[in-house]
Amino acid sequence: MKKIFTKITAFILIAIFICACNAVKRVPDGKKLLTKNDIIVNGKSTNDEVAFNQMYQKPNGTLLGYRLRLNLYNLANLNPDSTYQAKFKNNPGKYERQSKILSAKQVDRLGQSFWYKGIHEFLKRTGEAPVIIDTSKTKKTLLRLKSYYFNNGYFNVATNYNIDTTGYKKAKINYNITTGTVYTLDSIRNTISTPALDSLYKKNPEASVLKSGNQYKTSDFEEEKNRITTYFRNHGAYFFQPTYVTFDIDTIGKKNKADINLIIKNNSIQEKDSSRTEPFKLYKISDVNIYTDYSPTRAKSQVKDSTTYNNFNLYSYDKLKYKPRAITDAIFITKGNTYADFRTTLSSRYLNNLKIFNYPSIQYEVDKRDPTAQSLIANVYLTPRKKYSFGATFDLTHSNIQDFGIGASISETIRNVFNRAETLEISTRLNIGSSKDMANPNNNFFNVSEYGVDLKLNFPRILLPFGTEKIIPKSMIPSTGITSGFSKQRNIGLDKESFTGGLSYLWSPKRYNSAKLDLLNAQYIRNLNPDNYFRVYTSSYDELNKIAGIYNTNPAYIENGNLTINGGTTGFTNDVLSGVIPALKPGDEDYKNVKSIEERRVRLTENDFILASSYTFTKTTKKDLADNNFYQFKTKLESAGSLLSLISSAGNFAKNSNNKYEIFNLEYSEYIKTEFDYIKHWDFGKEKVLAVRSFFGIAIPFGNSDYIPFSRSYYAGGSNDNRAWQPYALGPGSTDAVNDFNEANMKIALSGEFRFKVFGDVKGAIFADAGNIWNVLDNVTDEKAKFNNLNDLAEIALGSGFGLRYDLSFFVVRLDLGFKTYNPAHEPGNRWFKEYNFGHSVLNFGINYPF
């Protein structure tokens, strides 16, 4: 059945290709299909993207050289209604016969159905009409190109075009540009009418964009305008605008050079039917008024409550509901200071970050009390959000554990909890999903479930018993978060309960930087069904069962030829490790395997308590969601258990039989962990982006631990990692993924993908993913899994493939097909391309881009 479906699909695709391959099917006689634009500058073709963006007409898009969308459009019937009516006009009896069977109304509606009309509308929408050369648009493009080169210093540029026929009804347009010699900047001077601005201009420490000897570029003049405007407005020139900056460009008597005079005239003031000019004034702030419960309907109402705090005036139309400092800490505009744009921006950012107001508005007016008219009153209008708000979400999810999941959550947010702009969020969540990797004796589709409750209390300041203003000033928008949570998983591994709690601090050292200090992060994980271990981790059971088939001497452990779970598995393991079975010695390979299986069982079934502290720093140059030319660097340092060990050692607490300290009768984890994550995007224009990501992480156990808890370890494979392997199916090292969930305590990953537009909102990508995981400085003894020296870098796996993405604006649906290019699980010399086929490929489904 599968082969038949494949053949039918291939036949349909071939038929579409053959039927639609006539690209000029919709090109009228005497017209030409535009196949290419070529810009020839001084006799040589150029790939200048900005120049190509001047085009009024661009050729139809291609996919690997094939005009897919054009040919889809050519498949469509442009007038399906007329075609349907003509069928009956040519054969009137046919309409009568069908009307007797369906009724006349149904026959008419049939013409509007998908098969007669809808499919053609779909092809027209998905496809792309042929781009037919329009010489009027060609001439407009030529004017644009001339302007583009003129604005880049080619004042004597000459342009023309010619159209070359490339085939039947096909042609390309050549835009011929003769630039002439470029003009450069010669002398640069300035004429500033206002003495105060002239003084400011001379004091500006930032160098001018315009420099003698530079190529003339209009964009540089615009940048200089903005630079000057920003500086002036940050130093009191409230009424200054970029339009006041003009340039006089003199080329008379110059050979390919231009003298520049920067001119800033006085302030122009419009008064009724006349206007006048006066020197610009530099303003100071005389008052800061904060309206804490403003709304447009209350603008003319009487204020009922007010107070003054640190030279800030706070007003309320009802009773004042906020502690003054909670609001004034967010305002960087202060009485007596010089007016500055950046203070307004910073205040707006901070107020928005409080999440208790809707779109704060900051307005200024000249203080009429000042006889010199050089003072401004700042009015801050705050519209509170509702104190209580309810939220609900519904999601379709995909993760490394779940192939498919349905999630829902409800939350309640309480604002201004203690009258100091705090927010409290209480949320509950429920998720049910399907996973083919879980033990599922009843073969249920939904075999995974999780529910939980979370609480988060946020303070818009640093909560510590000592001041931090000198280290973390309020301009860094600091906040404190206190969190707690509970979750319960059923049929995920061994079933778990997780209790979490934390105290963290967050701030932004710079505009696009962020820092987070998790002072305390506690997690207690309790396995609810540890006896289910060998039913979930079947690879471990199969290996143990295989060894027992050779060495077991106790028939009570066997049922139907296999070890029983758990009596047989526990009994046989104890016999091997206690020396009851003389055929197995500690140096034997099978003895080591049994010991390794038991150590892994103990590690994954025992409960975990982790008390950690961590510091995370993130730096990015990404300005907004549309920015595809940026980098992001993230590093994290985490330490767990050291505080508990210090207390245990200082208190001279007793150790258990394993020579470990305990808390609540449980050995706590102790380790140090660090991670480095770097992402870089290059935008090549025309929706072509190259993205790369590198990652290194290592967690080293010490003191009270010999290994890293499963929840803090690393895995490889999956839709956001190496896409040629399933999650947890790669590594460690050169092992052939011998366990069901393979993890380790060191990871290296490097990925790159080239993204491009296919058509419409459909994007494509080709990618390569390299990396692996290893065990290092822990209790794992398998040499294949360990990283011992740089020679082990030869165990870095490589996957490559291609994918499709569909952009839904608010998220991206992603399909990636990965092929095992270099598999370190094979013997050296036999690792390249041995599984590079569809049979061993992995199809990954993901939401949003992997990096």
Side-chain angles (χ1 to χ4, degrees):
M1 183 67 186
K2 192 173 182 180
K3 290 183 178 179
I4 294 174
F5 177 77
T6 303
K7 291 178 180 178
I8 292 174
T9 303
F11 176 79
I12 293 172
L13 291 174
I14 293 170
I16 290 174
F17 178 82
I18 293 172
C19 293
C21 64
N22 182 10
V24 297
K25 179 179 179 181
R26 307 286 184 194
V27 178
D29 291 338
K31 300 292 183 179
K32 302 286 186 181
L33 176 72
L34 177 60
T35 59
K36 185 181 179 182
N37 286 319
D38 196 3
I39 301 177
I40 303 170
V41 181
N42 299 325
K44 294 182 179 180
S45 292
T46 181
N47 292 320
D48 184 347
E49 183 189 343
V50 181
F52 275 96
N53 285 339
Q54 312 305 313
M55 303 290 175
Y56 274 93
Q57 283 190 302
K58 295 181 181 180
N60 291 98
T62 62
L63 175 62
L64 301 177
Y66 178 67
R67 296 185 181 88
L68 177 63
R69 293 188 66 199
L70 171 61
N71 288 316
L72 286 175
Y73 184 88
N74 286 341
L75 276 175
N77 184 340
L78 302 184
N79 298 293
D81 290 333
S82 300
T83 304
Y84 186 73
Q85 294 299 327
K87 180 173 69 171
F88 298 117
K89 188 176 292 185
N90 297 332
N91 190 354
K94 187 174 184 178
Y95 183 84
E96 293 176 4
R97 288 193 300 273
Q98 289 193 7
S99 297
K100 290 179 181 179
I101 300 172
L102 299 174
S103 84
K105 187 176 181 180
Q106 287 179 321
V107 173
D108 292 339
R109 288 179 60 186
L110 187 63
Q112 303 298 312
S113 67
F114 176 78
W115 294 112
Y116 282 96
K117 184 176 181 179
I119 190 171
H120 298 288
E121 295 297 328
F122 169 78
L123 289 171
K124 284 192 288 184
R125 286 196 308 270
T126 308
E128 183 181 38
V131 179
I132 298 169
I133 293 176
D134 182 340
T135 54
S136 65
K137 292 181 178 179
T138 305
K139 292 173 183 176
K140 288 181 180 179
T141 296
L142 208 60
L143 289 174
R144 272 189 176 182
L145 286 170
K146 186 172 185 177
S147 176
Y148 169 69
Y149 283 97
F150 184 92
N151 287 331
N152 279 278
Y154 299 100
F155 295 162
N156 299 316
V157 62
T159 61
N160 63 68
Y161 75 90
N162 61 280
I163 299 173
D164 288 345
T165 300
T166 59
Y168 176 65
K169 291 188 177 182
K170 296 179 181 179
K172 73 169 187 174
I173 303 176
N174 298 316
Y175 294 93
N176 304 301
I177 314 293
T178 303
T179 61
T181 306
V182 68
Y183 274 70
T184 58
L185 307 186
D186 195 8
S187 66
I188 301 173
R189 60 190 179 92
N190 61 76
T191 305
I192 303 175
S193 301
T194 301
L197 294 189
D198 187 46
S199 178
L200 270 181
Y201 182 84
K202 292 173 181 176
K203 291 178 182 177
N204 189 350
E206 187 179 351
S208 171
V209 178
L210 305 177
K211 292 181 174 62
S212 181
N214 282 5
Q215 178 178 338
Y216 175 96
K217 290 184 178 180
T218 302
S219 59
D220 286 347
F221 288 84
E222 290 300 315
E223 189 177 344
E224 179 69 359
K225 273 188 181 184
N226 294 331
R227 184 189 74 88
I228 292 170
T229 302
T230 299
Y231 186 76
F232 284 176
R233 288 185 61 85
N234 281 332
H235 289 80
Y238 174 67
F239 288 105
F240 193 83
Q241 297 294 332
T243 52
Y244 284 104
V245 182
T246 60
F247 298 93
D248 181 31
I249 301 167
D250 183 10
T251 60
I252 297 175
K254 295 283 184 177
K255 186 176 182 181
N256 303 321
K257 290 186 178 181
D259 290 330
I260 308 299
N261 184 20
L262 185 153
I263 301 170
I264 300 177
K265 295 183 179 180
N266 283 333
N267 189 13
S268 177
I269 300 171
Q270 190 72 30
E271 293 178 339
K272 296 182 180 179
D273 297 331
S274 62
S275 63
R276 62 182 177 85
T277 61
E278 67 176 26
F280 281 96
K281 297 175 181 177
L282 303 183
Y283 290 87
K284 288 185 177 293
I285 305 299
S286 59
D287 266 319
V288 182
N289 301 323
I290 306 171
Y291 297 87
T292 61
D293 56 354
Y294 175 81
S295 68
T297 57
R298 286 179 156 182
K300 296 182 180 180
S301 300
Q302 186 69 32
V303 169
K304 294 182 180 179
D305 196 3
S306 64
T307 188
T308 299
Y309 178 80
N310 283 353
N311 289 323
F312 292 95
N313 304 316
L314 288 88
Y315 301 101
S316 177
Y317 295 98
D318 294 316
K319 183 174 175 58
L320 193 63
K321 298 177 182 178
Y322 307 94
K323 298 286 179 64
R325 185 180 173 184
I327 305 300
T328 60
D329 274 356
I331 308 297
F332 296 87
I333 308 156
T334 53
K335 185 176 181 178
N337 276 1
T338 301
Y339 166 82
D341 258 0
F342 79 91
R343 297 183 186 276
T344 306
T345 303
L346 194 56
S347 299
S348 295
R349 280 181 57 208
Y350 202 128
L351 288 166
N352 276 317
N353 199 63
L354 293 178
K355 299 178 182 178
I356 61 173
F357 299 111
N358 286 318
Y359 311 113
S361 173
I362 301 176
Q363 300 175 14
Y364 296 88
E365 60 179 287
V366 176
D367 190 348
K368 297 178 181 178
R369 299 171 299 181
D370 182 0
T372 66
Q374 288 185 269
S375 297
L376 293 175
I377 298 174
N379 295 311
V380 182
Y381 298 100
L382 306 176
T383 304
R385 296 186 184 184
K386 293 181 180 179
K387 186 175 181 67
Y388 302 95
S389 64
F390 176 82
T393 63
F394 178 82
D395 299 302
L396 300 179
T397 61
H398 169 79
S399 70
N400 297 315
I401 296 295
Q402 295 182 12
D403 301 310
F404 173 78
I406 299 174
S409 68
I410 56 174
S411 64
E412 179 73 17
T413 301
I414 307 171
R415 298 181 177 87
N416 199 33
V417 180
F418 306 118
N419 294 331
R420 295 192 64 184
E422 305 86 357
T423 57
L424 173 64
E425 183 176 341
I426 305 169
S427 61
T428 62
R429 64 185 188 279
L430 171 67
N431 180 280
I432 58 173
S434 173
S435 174
K436 62 177 178 292
D437 294 326
M438 299 293 105
N440 189 12
N442 297 323
N443 201 29
N444 297 323
F445 179 75
F446 288 110
N447 60 330
V448 173
S449 67
E450 179 181 3
Y451 62 87
V453 180
D454 297 294
L455 182 147
K456 182 177 182 181
L457 180 60
N458 188 76
F459 299 84
R461 55 194 167 276
I462 298 291
L463 283 185
L464 281 172
F466 52 87
T468 59
E469 180 68 21
K470 291 183 178 180
I471 306 171
I472 307 174
K474 69 175 187 176
S475 59
M476 294 184 181
I477 314 182
S479 64
T480 301
I482 299 175
T483 60
S484 64
F486 164 78
S487 66
K488 189 169 185 176
Q489 299 174 345
R490 303 293 300 178
N491 299 323
I492 300 179
L494 307 175
D495 301 344
K496 299 178 187 298
E497 282 182 344
S498 178
F499 300 85
T500 59
L503 172 64
S504 61
Y505 304 100
L506 183 68
W507 65 96
S508 299
K510 291 184 179 179
R511 182 70 174 91
Y512 296 105
N513 298 355
S514 67
K516 183 179 182 182
L517 174 64
D518 283 299
L519 187 63
L520 293 173
N521 188 321
Q523 183 179 32
Y524 171 61
I525 300 172
R526 184 164 75 96
N527 290 303
L528 302 177
N529 193 11
D531 291 341
N532 202 36
Y533 177 81
F534 283 113
R535 293 185 180 89
V536 174
Y537 295 87
T538 55
S539 295
S540 295
Y541 173 78
D542 292 341
E543 179 68 15
L544 186 65
N545 192 47
K546 179 181 176 182
I547 296 172
I550 301 172
Y551 299 103
N552 180 52
T553 57
N554 191 335
Y557 299 157
I558 303 297
E559 186 177 302
N560 298 325
N562 296 308
L563 285 173
T564 60
I565 302 175
N566 284 293
T569 54
T570 303
F572 175 70
T573 300
N574 290 338
D575 288 352
V576 172
L577 300 181
S578 61
V580 172
I581 301 177
L584 277 176
K585 306 294 184 185
D588 295 342
E589 190 66 27
D590 284 337
Y591 181 96
K592 293 178 181 178
N593 288 339
V594 172
K595 184 179 179 181
S596 177
I597 290 170
E598 178 60 11
E599 287 177 346
R600 180 174 170 81
R601 185 196 68 81
V602 170
R603 184 161 76 88
L604 297 183
T605 57
E606 69 179 3
N607 300 330
D608 288 324
F609 180 77
I610 304 168
L611 181 63
S613 298
S614 66
Y615 174 76
T616 305
F617 176 77
T618 304
K619 180 178 182 179
T620 182
T621 59
K622 188 178 179 71
K623 295 178 175 59
D624 51 53
L625 291 175
D627 188 358
N628 275 318
N629 199 19
F630 70 95
Y631 74 84
Q632 176 181 295
F633 173 73
K634 182 178 180 181
T635 184
K636 180 178 182 180
L637 178 65
E638 178 179 329
S639 175
S642 297
L643 178 62
L644 294 176
S645 289
L646 184 64
I647 295 172
S648 299
S649 178
N652 205 20
F653 296 164
K655 294 184 178 182
N656 63 13
S657 58
N658 295 325
N659 198 32
K660 307 292 184 184
Y661 290 118
E662 291 185 346
I663 182 171
F664 311 126
N665 295 320
L666 181 68
E667 293 180 10
Y668 57 84
S669 298
E670 187 171 10
Y671 61 86
I672 187 166
K673 181 179 184 179
T674 186
E675 296 177 350
F676 301 92
D677 194 356
Y678 180 79
I679 296 171
K680 172 67 177 171
H681 285 203
W682 289 272
D683 190 345
F684 296 108
K686 299 181 181 178
E687 301 190 56
K688 296 176 182 177
V689 177
L690 175 63
V692 298
R693 181 200 180 200
S694 59
F695 176 87
F696 173 78
I698 185 170
I700 301 173
F702 66 97
N704 215 55
S705 294
D706 299 320
Y707 53 82
I708 301 300
F710 184 86
S711 61
R712 295 291 203 272
S713 60
Y714 299 108
Y715 71 91
S719 61
N720 293 323
D721 194 65
N722 197 318
R723 286 162 278 187
W725 278 264
Q726 295 284 1
Y728 296 96
L730 172 60
S734 59
T735 64
D736 192 11
V738 293
N739 299 306
D740 297 274
F741 295 91
N742 297 277
E743 39 75 43
N745 64 323
M746 188 179 99
K747 179 175 181 177
I748 297 174
L750 178 64
S751 294
E753 68 174 37
F754 181 69
R755 302 165 185 167
F756 51 89
K757 182 177 180 178
V758 178
F759 59 83
D761 293 325
V762 178
K763 311 291 193 300
I766 53 175
F767 61 83
D769 301 318
N772 206 336
I773 55 174
W774 293 267
N775 290 96
V776 59
L777 301 176
D778 61 3
N779 64 345
V780 172
T781 58
D782 187 352
E783 289 298 320
K784 287 187 174 182
K786 294 170 66 175
F787 188 93
N788 296 310
N789 51 57
L790 293 179
N791 293 330
D792 290 325
L793 292 176
E795 295 170 352
I796 290 179
L798 176 64
S800 58
F802 57 89
L804 290 175
R805 294 94 162 86
Y806 187 75
D807 192 343
L808 294 170
S809 296
F810 47 93
F811 69 90
V812 175
V813 178
R814 175 166 52 91
L815 286 175
D816 289 322
L817 188 64
F819 298 88
K820 296 176 179 63
T821 309
Y822 177 86
N823 190 348
H826 299 313
E827 292 299 320
N830 198 35
R831 293 174 173 177
W832 285 100
F833 299 106
K834 292 300 179 182
E835 297 171 312
Y836 202 88
N837 52 60
F838 284 99
H840 291 91
S841 64
V842 175
L843 181 63
N844 297 274
F845 171 79
I847 300 296
N848 293 326
Y849 290 107
F851 50 87

